[in-house]
Amino acid sequence: MGTVERRLTLEYFLEPYLKKKQKSWLSSLLYLSVYQLVYMNVKDYFVVDESVNIANVYGEKIGSFTNAVLRNFLRNPVRDIEIIYWAIDGDTLIISNDIVEGDINGT
């Protein structure tokens, strides 16, 4: 339930480490992994090891990719979500690091 509730935040956390859209199962695995790393009291090495083992079922390269993404995530501080604002533009969610006065309607 927490992963679903925090999906946009998890996407924001992972965005610097993903250059293109991933298959849905891999995105879900990465969201679950980052959720455990950020919001749960689970040892880092356990989360990475289990995630890589799951990804290895689909191939060693995918396991290596998963390992690289999660280890890079752990090496860097979690992105600050307090400085972002979200604006809905049609069906597109825009995430920006710019601080804007007023609400998302521009008032």
Side-chain angles (χ1 to χ4, degrees), residues 50-70:
E50 288 300 311
S51 299
V52 170
N53 288 338
I54 292 167
N56 276 334
V57 170
Y58 294 93
E60 190 175 319
K61 285 185 179 182
I62 297 174
S64 296
F65 172 79
T66 302
N67 185 58
V69 169
L70 294 176

Side-chain angles (χ1 to χ4, degrees), residues 14-107:
L14 281 167
E15 185 265 333
Y17 311 106
L18 303 174
K19 295 183 181 184
K20 61 181 182 177
K21 185 173 171 117
Q22 304 303 315
K23 295 184 180 196
S24 63
W25 72 266
L26 183 54
S27 293
S28 296
L29 177 63
L30 293 170
Y31 297 153
L32 288 167
S33 301
V34 170
Y35 181 85
Q36 289 176 356
L37 293 169
V38 174
Y39 298 106
M40 298 177 72
N41 189 21
V42 182
K43 299 287 185 189
D44 296 351
Y45 65 86
F46 179 76
V47 172
V48 174
D49 184 59
E50 288 300 311
S51 299
V52 170
N53 288 338
I54 292 167
N56 276 334
V57 170
Y58 294 93
E60 190 175 319
K61 285 185 179 182
I62 297 174
S64 296
F65 172 79
T66 302
N67 185 58
V69 169
L70 294 176
R71 290 181 50 88
N72 280 323
F73 176 80
L74 288 169
R75 283 188 199 108
N76 296 294
V78 174
R79 296 173 80 189
D80 185 5
I81 61 173
E82 296 299 320
I83 62 169
I84 65 172
Y85 74 93
W86 299 354
I88 306 287
D89 178 21
D91 293 330
T92 305
L93 176 66
I94 301 167
I95 299 176
S96 172
N97 287 329
D98 299 328
I99 298 176
V100 175
E101 296 294 325
D103 64 22
I104 63 172
N105 294 322
T107 58

